[in-house]
Amino acid sequence: MALIYPPVGFHFIVRFEGLLLKYPGIPDIGFQSVSGINAEVSVEEYHEGGENRFKHKLPNAVTYPNLVLKRGMLIGSQLMQWFKDSVENYAFEAHDISVILLNGDHLPIQGWNFIKAWPVKWEISDFNAEEATIVIENIEFAYQYFRRLDVTSLL
């Protein structure tokens, strides 16, 4: 019987679908962290007349938080050009983003595809002359929804 261990979350890649065709430059693949991979179904409560023991709970819309990517600042990247185009020209073009978790052999074990994502926030860490730290950028994306990807589609 094989032992199955939960995967570790430090080995992953991020892909931006169609970004290389639109913006030539440094490809964006290396990120320090990814957060915001969750979905929540809101609940509507309905009180039925004459029933005092409970309220009926009904599913409502699904909500998704922003996808947040964090890395050391990269000058001249495709991602920076995409964000700049969005902010300066108000030209919001959606692209799919895939986050793929890898195993120790660099093979995909799980993936998530964020549909029609666009940049909504870019934040740079503080500059401090007393510390020799790397400049970190946080990039947030809004998106329509996400779906889990079948491992066979990632190979």
Side-chain angles (χ1 to χ4, degrees), residues 119-149:
V120 296
K121 183 177 179 182
W122 197 293
E123 181 180 16
I124 302 295
S125 64
D126 295 339
F127 301 150
N128 187 339
E130 296 177 354
E131 298 176 1
T133 58
I134 294 174
V135 177
I136 302 295
E137 56 187 358
N138 288 320
I139 309 134
E140 288 190 31
F141 297 89
Y143 55 93
Q144 299 297 321
Y145 64 96
F146 74 82
R147 61 178 170 233
R148 290 179 87 142
L149 299 174

PDB file of all heavy atoms in Angstrom, residues 119-149:
ATOM      1  N   PRO A 119      -5.762  42.965 -14.279  1.00  0.00           N
ATOM      2  CA  PRO A 119      -5.098  43.546 -13.108  1.00  0.00           C
ATOM      3  C   PRO A 119      -5.926  44.668 -12.497  1.00  0.00           C
ATOM      4  O   PRO A 119      -6.457  45.519 -13.214  1.00  0.00           O
ATOM      5  CB  PRO A 119      -3.777  44.077 -13.673  1.00  0.00           C
ATOM      6  CG  PRO A 119      -4.013  44.247 -15.123  1.00  0.00           C
ATOM      7  CD  PRO A 119      -5.078  43.276 -15.524  1.00  0.00           C
ATOM      8  N   VAL A 120      -6.034  44.663 -11.161  1.00  0.00           N
ATOM      9  CA  VAL A 120      -6.800  45.697 -10.464  1.00  0.00           C
ATOM     10  C   VAL A 120      -5.975  46.445  -9.418  1.00  0.00           C
ATOM     11  O   VAL A 120      -6.371  47.513  -8.970  1.00  0.00           O
ATOM     12  CB  VAL A 120      -8.072  45.121  -9.795  1.00  0.00           C
ATOM     13  CG1 VAL A 120      -9.038  44.592 -10.839  1.00  0.00           C
ATOM     14  CG2 VAL A 120      -7.732  44.045  -8.789  1.00  0.00           C
ATOM     15  N   LYS A 121      -4.830  45.883  -9.022  1.00  0.00           N
ATOM     16  CA  LYS A 121      -4.016  46.558  -8.008  1.00  0.00           C
ATOM     17  C   LYS A 121      -2.559  46.129  -8.156  1.00  0.00           C
ATOM     18  O   LYS A 121      -2.274  44.962  -8.392  1.00  0.00           O
ATOM     19  CB  LYS A 121      -4.517  46.203  -6.608  1.00  0.00           C
ATOM     20  CG  LYS A 121      -3.780  46.921  -5.497  1.00  0.00           C
ATOM     21  CD  LYS A 121      -4.376  46.575  -4.141  1.00  0.00           C
ATOM     22  CE  LYS A 121      -3.637  47.272  -3.018  1.00  0.00           C
ATOM     23  NZ  LYS A 121      -4.176  46.919  -1.708  1.00  0.00           N
ATOM     24  N   TRP A 122      -1.675  47.101  -8.010  1.00  0.00           N
ATOM     25  CA  TRP A 122      -0.243  46.851  -8.039  1.00  0.00           C
ATOM     26  C   TRP A 122       0.356  47.601  -6.852  1.00  0.00           C
ATOM     27  O   TRP A 122       0.157  48.793  -6.706  1.00  0.00           O
ATOM     28  CB  TRP A 122       0.355  47.400  -9.332  1.00  0.00           C
ATOM     29  CG  TRP A 122       1.703  46.864  -9.662  1.00  0.00           C
ATOM     30  CD1 TRP A 122       2.865  47.082  -8.979  1.00  0.00           C
ATOM     31  CD2 TRP A 122       2.034  46.020 -10.746  1.00  0.00           C
ATOM     32  NE1 TRP A 122       3.906  46.424  -9.584  1.00  0.00           N
ATOM     33  CE2 TRP A 122       3.410  45.761 -10.678  1.00  0.00           C
ATOM     34  CE3 TRP A 122       1.310  45.460 -11.769  1.00  0.00           C
ATOM     35  CZ2 TRP A 122       4.070  44.975 -11.594  1.00  0.00           C
ATOM     36  CZ3 TRP A 122       1.957  44.686 -12.685  1.00  0.00           C
ATOM     37  CH2 TRP A 122       3.325  44.433 -12.595  1.00  0.00           C
ATOM     38  N   GLU A 123       1.073  46.889  -6.023  1.00  0.00           N
ATOM     39  CA  GLU A 123       1.629  47.500  -4.822  1.00  0.00           C
ATOM     40  C   GLU A 123       3.106  47.137  -4.710  1.00  0.00           C
ATOM     41  O   GLU A 123       3.480  45.978  -4.849  1.00  0.00           O
ATOM     42  CB  GLU A 123       0.869  46.990  -3.591  1.00  0.00           C
ATOM     43  CG  GLU A 123       1.330  47.568  -2.293  1.00  0.00           C
ATOM     44  CD  GLU A 123       0.537  47.020  -1.121  1.00  0.00           C
ATOM     45  OE1 GLU A 123      -0.145  45.987  -1.269  1.00  0.00           O
ATOM     46  OE2 GLU A 123       0.614  47.631  -0.048  1.00  0.00           O
ATOM     47  N   ILE A 124       3.931  48.151  -4.449  1.00  0.00           N
ATOM     48  CA  ILE A 124       5.372  47.966  -4.299  1.00  0.00           C
ATOM     49  C   ILE A 124       5.716  48.139  -2.818  1.00  0.00           C
ATOM     50  O   ILE A 124       5.192  49.040  -2.156  1.00  0.00           O
ATOM     51  CB  ILE A 124       6.148  49.006  -5.149  1.00  0.00           C
ATOM     52  CG1 ILE A 124       5.760  48.907  -6.622  1.00  0.00           C
ATOM     53  CG2 ILE A 124       7.646  48.869  -4.959  1.00  0.00           C
ATOM     54  CD1 ILE A 124       6.131  47.628  -7.295  1.00  0.00           C
ATOM     55  N   SER A 125       6.620  47.296  -2.317  1.00  0.00           N
ATOM     56  CA  SER A 125       7.027  47.404  -0.915  1.00  0.00           C
ATOM     57  C   SER A 125       7.721  48.739  -0.664  1.00  0.00           C
ATOM     58  O   SER A 125       8.200  49.399  -1.591  1.00  0.00           O
ATOM     59  CB  SER A 125       7.946  46.242  -0.534  1.00  0.00           C
ATOM     60  OG  SER A 125       9.150  46.297  -1.278  1.00  0.00           O
ATOM     61  N   ASP A 126       7.785  49.116   0.597  1.00  0.00           N
ATOM     62  CA  ASP A 126       8.417  50.375   0.985  1.00  0.00           C
ATOM     63  C   ASP A 126       9.912  50.341   0.707  1.00  0.00           C
ATOM     64  O   ASP A 126      10.553  49.291   0.762  1.00  0.00           O
ATOM     65  CB  ASP A 126       8.207  50.631   2.482  1.00  0.00           C
ATOM     66  CG  ASP A 126       6.736  50.829   2.826  1.00  0.00           C
ATOM     67  OD1 ASP A 126       5.959  51.168   1.916  1.00  0.00           O
ATOM     68  OD2 ASP A 126       6.384  50.651   4.006  1.00  0.00           O
ATOM     69  N   PHE A 127      10.461  51.510   0.407  1.00  0.00           N
ATOM     70  CA  PHE A 127      11.905  51.672   0.277  1.00  0.00           C
ATOM     71  C   PHE A 127      12.429  52.129   1.633  1.00  0.00           C
ATOM     72  O   PHE A 127      11.833  52.991   2.279  1.00  0.00           O
ATOM     73  CB  PHE A 127      12.255  52.712  -0.790  1.00  0.00           C
ATOM     74  CG  PHE A 127      11.726  52.401  -2.165  1.00  0.00           C
ATOM     75  CD1 PHE A 127      11.405  53.420  -3.040  1.00  0.00           C
ATOM     76  CD2 PHE A 127      11.551  51.101  -2.595  1.00  0.00           C
ATOM     77  CE1 PHE A 127      10.923  53.147  -4.313  1.00  0.00           C
ATOM     78  CE2 PHE A 127      11.076  50.816  -3.863  1.00  0.00           C
ATOM     79  CZ  PHE A 127      10.759  51.838  -4.719  1.00  0.00           C
ATOM     80  N   ASN A 128      13.541  51.548   2.064  1.00  0.00           N
ATOM     81  CA  ASN A 128      14.099  51.896   3.357  1.00  0.00           C
ATOM     82  C   ASN A 128      15.622  51.860   3.250  1.00  0.00           C
ATOM     83  O   ASN A 128      16.204  50.797   3.024  1.00  0.00           O
ATOM     84  CB  ASN A 128      13.604  50.917   4.428  1.00  0.00           C
ATOM     85  CG  ASN A 128      14.015  51.303   5.818  1.00  0.00           C
ATOM     86  OD1 ASN A 128      14.959  52.060   6.020  1.00  0.00           O
ATOM     87  ND2 ASN A 128      13.310  50.784   6.799  1.00  0.00           N
ATOM     88  N   ALA A 129      16.267  53.018   3.438  1.00  0.00           N
ATOM     89  CA  ALA A 129      17.718  53.118   3.303  1.00  0.00           C
ATOM     90  C   ALA A 129      18.458  52.377   4.412  1.00  0.00           C
ATOM     91  O   ALA A 129      19.654  52.139   4.307  1.00  0.00           O
ATOM     92  CB  ALA A 129      18.147  54.589   3.304  1.00  0.00           C
ATOM     93  N   GLU A 130      17.762  51.976   5.473  1.00  0.00           N
ATOM     94  CA  GLU A 130      18.397  51.278   6.592  1.00  0.00           C
ATOM     95  C   GLU A 130      18.367  49.761   6.441  1.00  0.00           C
ATOM     96  O   GLU A 130      18.938  49.049   7.251  1.00  0.00           O
ATOM     97  CB  GLU A 130      17.725  51.681   7.905  1.00  0.00           C
ATOM     98  CG  GLU A 130      17.902  53.144   8.236  1.00  0.00           C
ATOM     99  CD  GLU A 130      17.172  53.548   9.504  1.00  0.00           C
ATOM    100  OE1 GLU A 130      16.435  52.710  10.068  1.00  0.00           O
ATOM    101  OE2 GLU A 130      17.344  54.697   9.924  1.00  0.00           O
ATOM    102  N   GLU A 131      17.683  49.273   5.416  1.00  0.00           N
ATOM    103  CA  GLU A 131      17.576  47.828   5.210  1.00  0.00           C
ATOM    104  C   GLU A 131      17.952  47.494   3.771  1.00  0.00           C
ATOM    105  O   GLU A 131      17.566  48.193   2.846  1.00  0.00           O
ATOM    106  CB  GLU A 131      16.156  47.341   5.482  1.00  0.00           C
ATOM    107  CG  GLU A 131      15.697  47.553   6.906  1.00  0.00           C
ATOM    108  CD  GLU A 131      14.243  47.140   7.094  1.00  0.00           C
ATOM    109  OE1 GLU A 131      13.606  46.683   6.121  1.00  0.00           O
ATOM    110  OE2 GLU A 131      13.748  47.303   8.215  1.00  0.00           O
ATOM    111  N   ALA A 132      18.663  46.403   3.596  1.00  0.00           N
ATOM    112  CA  ALA A 132      19.029  45.955   2.255  1.00  0.00           C
ATOM    113  C   ALA A 132      18.100  44.806   1.864  1.00  0.00           C
ATOM    114  O   ALA A 132      18.488  43.644   1.829  1.00  0.00           O
ATOM    115  CB  ALA A 132      20.483  45.503   2.227  1.00  0.00           C
ATOM    116  N   THR A 133      16.832  45.154   1.576  1.00  0.00           N
ATOM    117  CA  THR A 133      15.848  44.129   1.225  1.00  0.00           C
ATOM    118  C   THR A 133      15.442  44.265  -0.235  1.00  0.00           C
ATOM    119  O   THR A 133      15.530  45.338  -0.829  1.00  0.00           O
ATOM    120  CB  THR A 133      14.589  44.244   2.112  1.00  0.00           C
ATOM    121  OG1 THR A 133      14.036  45.559   1.964  1.00  0.00           O
ATOM    122  CG2 THR A 133      14.918  44.007   3.573  1.00  0.00           C
ATOM    123  N   ILE A 134      15.010  43.175  -0.778  1.00  0.00           N
ATOM    124  CA  ILE A 134      14.539  43.137  -2.166  1.00  0.00           C
ATOM    125  C   ILE A 134      13.198  43.862  -2.254  1.00  0.00           C
ATOM    126  O   ILE A 134      12.352  43.748  -1.368  1.00  0.00           O
ATOM    127  CB  ILE A 134      14.393  41.682  -2.638  1.00  0.00           C
ATOM    128  CG1 ILE A 134      15.770  41.027  -2.702  1.00  0.00           C
ATOM    129  CG2 ILE A 134      13.677  41.601  -3.975  1.00  0.00           C
ATOM    130  CD1 ILE A 134      15.729  39.550  -3.025  1.00  0.00           C
ATOM    131  N   VAL A 135      13.015  44.611  -3.328  1.00  0.00           N
ATOM    132  CA  VAL A 135      11.740  45.287  -3.563  1.00  0.00           C
ATOM    133  C   VAL A 135      10.727  44.231  -3.996  1.00  0.00           C
ATOM    134  O   VAL A 135      10.957  43.489  -4.957  1.00  0.00           O
ATOM    135  CB  VAL A 135      11.876  46.387  -4.632  1.00  0.00           C
ATOM    136  CG1 VAL A 135      10.532  47.029  -4.921  1.00  0.00           C
ATOM    137  CG2 VAL A 135      12.885  47.432  -4.201  1.00  0.00           C
ATOM    138  N   ILE A 136       9.623  44.157  -3.282  1.00  0.00           N
ATOM    139  CA  ILE A 136       8.579  43.164  -3.539  1.00  0.00           C
ATOM    140  C   ILE A 136       7.374  43.851  -4.170  1.00  0.00           C
ATOM    141  O   ILE A 136       6.982  44.946  -3.754  1.00  0.00           O
ATOM    142  CB  ILE A 136       8.146  42.468  -2.229  1.00  0.00           C
ATOM    143  CG1 ILE A 136       9.338  41.788  -1.547  1.00  0.00           C
ATOM    144  CG2 ILE A 136       7.007  41.487  -2.475  1.00  0.00           C
ATOM    145  CD1 ILE A 136       9.927  40.638  -2.343  1.00  0.00           C
ATOM    146  N   GLU A 137       6.796  43.209  -5.180  1.00  0.00           N
ATOM    147  CA  GLU A 137       5.565  43.725  -5.769  1.00  0.00           C
ATOM    148  C   GLU A 137       4.444  42.722  -5.568  1.00  0.00           C
ATOM    149  O   GLU A 137       4.641  41.517  -5.712  1.00  0.00           O
ATOM    150  CB  GLU A 137       5.750  44.070  -7.254  1.00  0.00           C
ATOM    151  CG  GLU A 137       6.257  42.965  -8.136  1.00  0.00           C
ATOM    152  CD  GLU A 137       6.577  43.440  -9.550  1.00  0.00           C
ATOM    153  OE1 GLU A 137       6.372  44.621  -9.866  1.00  0.00           O
ATOM    154  OE2 GLU A 137       7.051  42.614 -10.330  1.00  0.00           O
ATOM    155  N   ASN A 138       3.287  43.248  -5.177  1.00  0.00           N
ATOM    156  CA  ASN A 138       2.052  42.463  -5.067  1.00  0.00           C
ATOM    157  C   ASN A 138       1.139  42.889  -6.199  1.00  0.00           C
ATOM    158  O   ASN A 138       0.905  44.085  -6.386  1.00  0.00           O
ATOM    159  CB  ASN A 138       1.332  42.736  -3.731  1.00  0.00           C
ATOM    160  CG  ASN A 138       2.053  42.139  -2.564  1.00  0.00           C
ATOM    161  OD1 ASN A 138       2.569  41.039  -2.640  1.00  0.00           O
ATOM    162  ND2 ASN A 138       2.104  42.877  -1.476  1.00  0.00           N
ATOM    163  N   ILE A 139       0.635  41.932  -6.945  1.00  0.00           N
ATOM    164  CA  ILE A 139      -0.236  42.218  -8.072  1.00  0.00           C
ATOM    165  C   ILE A 139      -1.541  41.480  -7.831  1.00  0.00           C
ATOM    166  O   ILE A 139      -1.547  40.273  -7.568  1.00  0.00           O
ATOM    167  CB  ILE A 139       0.393  41.757  -9.404  1.00  0.00           C
ATOM    168  CG1 ILE A 139       1.810  42.304  -9.509  1.00  0.00           C
ATOM    169  CG2 ILE A 139      -0.445  42.216 -10.579  1.00  0.00           C
ATOM    170  CD1 ILE A 139       2.824  41.313  -9.945  1.00  0.00           C
ATOM    171  N   GLU A 140      -2.666  42.214  -7.908  1.00  0.00           N
ATOM    172  CA  GLU A 140      -3.976  41.607  -7.688  1.00  0.00           C
ATOM    173  C   GLU A 140      -4.762  41.594  -8.989  1.00  0.00           C
ATOM    174  O   GLU A 140      -4.703  42.536  -9.777  1.00  0.00           O
ATOM    175  CB  GLU A 140      -4.768  42.384  -6.632  1.00  0.00           C
ATOM    176  CG  GLU A 140      -4.247  42.202  -5.248  1.00  0.00           C
ATOM    177  CD  GLU A 140      -5.185  42.776  -4.196  1.00  0.00           C
ATOM    178  OE1 GLU A 140      -6.420  42.792  -4.409  1.00  0.00           O
ATOM    179  OE2 GLU A 140      -4.672  43.204  -3.157  1.00  0.00           O
ATOM    180  N   PHE A 141      -5.521  40.509  -9.161  1.00  0.00           N
ATOM    181  CA  PHE A 141      -6.340  40.335 -10.353  1.00  0.00           C
ATOM    182  C   PHE A 141      -7.771  40.015  -9.949  1.00  0.00           C
ATOM    183  O   PHE A 141      -8.005  39.162  -9.094  1.00  0.00           O
ATOM    184  CB  PHE A 141      -5.818  39.162 -11.203  1.00  0.00           C
ATOM    185  CG  PHE A 141      -4.434  39.376 -11.720  1.00  0.00           C
ATOM    186  CD1 PHE A 141      -3.336  38.985 -10.981  1.00  0.00           C
ATOM    187  CD2 PHE A 141      -4.230  39.981 -12.947  1.00  0.00           C
ATOM    188  CE1 PHE A 141      -2.049  39.184 -11.448  1.00  0.00           C
ATOM    189  CE2 PHE A 141      -2.943  40.180 -13.422  1.00  0.00           C
ATOM    190  CZ  PHE A 141      -1.846  39.778 -12.673  1.00  0.00           C
ATOM    191  N   ALA A 142      -8.705  40.692 -10.575  1.00  0.00           N
ATOM    192  CA  ALA A 142     -10.106  40.294 -10.494  1.00  0.00           C
ATOM    193  C   ALA A 142     -10.332  39.309 -11.638  1.00  0.00           C
ATOM    194  O   ALA A 142      -9.609  39.323 -12.634  1.00  0.00           O
ATOM    195  CB  ALA A 142     -11.021  41.502 -10.639  1.00  0.00           C
ATOM    196  N   TYR A 143     -11.316  38.446 -11.507  1.00  0.00           N
ATOM    197  CA  TYR A 143     -11.595  37.456 -12.549  1.00  0.00           C
ATOM    198  C   TYR A 143     -13.054  37.022 -12.430  1.00  0.00           C
ATOM    199  O   TYR A 143     -13.721  37.298 -11.432  1.00  0.00           O
ATOM    200  CB  TYR A 143     -10.646  36.258 -12.455  1.00  0.00           C
ATOM    201  CG  TYR A 143     -10.644  35.578 -11.102  1.00  0.00           C
ATOM    202  CD1 TYR A 143     -11.476  34.493 -10.853  1.00  0.00           C
ATOM    203  CD2 TYR A 143      -9.839  36.031 -10.069  1.00  0.00           C
ATOM    204  CE1 TYR A 143     -11.494  33.884  -9.606  1.00  0.00           C
ATOM    205  CE2 TYR A 143      -9.846  35.429  -8.833  1.00  0.00           C
ATOM    206  CZ  TYR A 143     -10.671  34.362  -8.606  1.00  0.00           C
ATOM    207  OH  TYR A 143     -10.705  33.760  -7.384  1.00  0.00           O
ATOM    208  N   GLN A 144     -13.542  36.355 -13.458  1.00  0.00           N
ATOM    209  CA  GLN A 144     -14.946  35.927 -13.470  1.00  0.00           C
ATOM    210  C   GLN A 144     -15.177  34.765 -12.511  1.00  0.00           C
ATOM    211  O   GLN A 144     -16.066  34.808 -11.679  1.00  0.00           O
ATOM    212  CB  GLN A 144     -15.363  35.510 -14.888  1.00  0.00           C
ATOM    213  CG  GLN A 144     -15.249  36.611 -15.914  1.00  0.00           C
ATOM    214  CD  GLN A 144     -16.171  37.773 -15.625  1.00  0.00           C
ATOM    215  OE1 GLN A 144     -17.292  37.586 -15.211  1.00  0.00           O
ATOM    216  NE2 GLN A 144     -15.692  38.986 -15.818  1.00  0.00           N
ATOM    217  N   TYR A 145     -14.398  33.718 -12.669  1.00  0.00           N
ATOM    218  CA  TYR A 145     -14.494  32.520 -11.830  1.00  0.00           C
ATOM    219  C   TYR A 145     -13.244  31.693 -12.062  1.00  0.00           C
ATOM    220  O   TYR A 145     -12.437  32.018 -12.929  1.00  0.00           O
ATOM    221  CB  TYR A 145     -15.752  31.702 -12.161  1.00  0.00           C
ATOM    222  CG  TYR A 145     -15.778  31.143 -13.564  1.00  0.00           C
ATOM    223  CD1 TYR A 145     -15.359  29.839 -13.822  1.00  0.00           C
ATOM    224  CD2 TYR A 145     -16.205  31.914 -14.649  1.00  0.00           C
ATOM    225  CE1 TYR A 145     -15.362  29.324 -15.114  1.00  0.00           C
ATOM    226  CE2 TYR A 145     -16.212  31.411 -15.932  1.00  0.00           C
ATOM    227  CZ  TYR A 145     -15.796  30.112 -16.157  1.00  0.00           C
ATOM    228  OH  TYR A 145     -15.796  29.607 -17.427  1.00  0.00           O
ATOM    229  N   PHE A 146     -13.066  30.648 -11.279  1.00  0.00           N
ATOM    230  CA  PHE A 146     -11.963  29.730 -11.550  1.00  0.00           C
ATOM    231  C   PHE A 146     -12.493  28.311 -11.584  1.00  0.00           C
ATOM    232  O   PHE A 146     -13.565  28.013 -11.068  1.00  0.00           O
ATOM    233  CB  PHE A 146     -10.803  29.880 -10.553  1.00  0.00           C
ATOM    234  CG  PHE A 146     -11.044  29.314  -9.179  1.00  0.00           C
ATOM    235  CD1 PHE A 146     -10.867  27.967  -8.914  1.00  0.00           C
ATOM    236  CD2 PHE A 146     -11.418  30.139  -8.136  1.00  0.00           C
ATOM    237  CE1 PHE A 146     -11.066  27.447  -7.644  1.00  0.00           C
ATOM    238  CE2 PHE A 146     -11.618  29.638  -6.866  1.00  0.00           C
ATOM    239  CZ  PHE A 146     -11.443  28.295  -6.621  1.00  0.00           C
ATOM    240  N   ARG A 147     -11.712  27.460 -12.221  1.00  0.00           N
ATOM    241  CA  ARG A 147     -12.047  26.031 -12.248  1.00  0.00           C
ATOM    242  C   ARG A 147     -10.772  25.238 -12.000  1.00  0.00           C
ATOM    243  O   ARG A 147      -9.681  25.660 -12.381  1.00  0.00           O
ATOM    244  CB  ARG A 147     -12.707  25.639 -13.554  1.00  0.00           C
ATOM    245  CG  ARG A 147     -11.863  25.854 -14.766  1.00  0.00           C
ATOM    246  CD  ARG A 147     -12.572  25.398 -16.039  1.00  0.00           C
ATOM    247  NE  ARG A 147     -11.803  25.851 -17.172  1.00  0.00           N
ATOM    248  CZ  ARG A 147     -12.295  26.543 -18.171  1.00  0.00           C
ATOM    249  NH1 ARG A 147     -13.555  26.843 -18.214  1.00  0.00           N
ATOM    250  NH2 ARG A 147     -11.524  26.919 -19.166  1.00  0.00           N
ATOM    251  N   ARG A 148     -10.947  24.120 -11.336  1.00  0.00           N
ATOM    252  CA  ARG A 148      -9.805  23.227 -11.115  1.00  0.00           C
ATOM    253  C   ARG A 148      -9.531  22.491 -12.415  1.00  0.00           C
ATOM    254  O   ARG A 148     -10.450  22.081 -13.119  1.00  0.00           O
ATOM    255  CB  ARG A 148     -10.124  22.237 -10.003  1.00  0.00           C
ATOM    256  CG  ARG A 148     -10.184  22.904  -8.644  1.00  0.00           C
ATOM    257  CD  ARG A 148     -10.530  21.901  -7.593  1.00  0.00           C
ATOM    258  NE  ARG A 148      -9.296  21.286  -7.141  1.00  0.00           N
ATOM    259  CZ  ARG A 148      -9.058  20.963  -5.889  1.00  0.00           C
ATOM    260  NH1 ARG A 148      -9.966  21.173  -4.974  1.00  0.00           N
ATOM    261  NH2 ARG A 148      -7.925  20.414  -5.541  1.00  0.00           N
ATOM    262  N   LEU A 149      -8.267  22.326 -12.708  1.00  0.00           N
ATOM    263  CA  LEU A 149      -7.877  21.667 -13.945  1.00  0.00           C
ATOM    264  C   LEU A 149      -7.545  20.208 -13.685  1.00  0.00           C
ATOM    265  O   LEU A 149      -6.936  19.866 -12.669  1.00  0.00           O
ATOM    266  CB  LEU A 149      -6.661  22.373 -14.550  1.00  0.00           C
ATOM    267  CG  LEU A 149      -6.855  23.831 -14.925  1.00  0.00           C
ATOM    268  CD1 LEU A 149      -5.540  24.443 -15.367  1.00  0.00           C
ATOM    269  CD2 LEU A 149      -7.901  23.969 -16.011  1.00  0.00           C
TER     270      LEU A 149
END
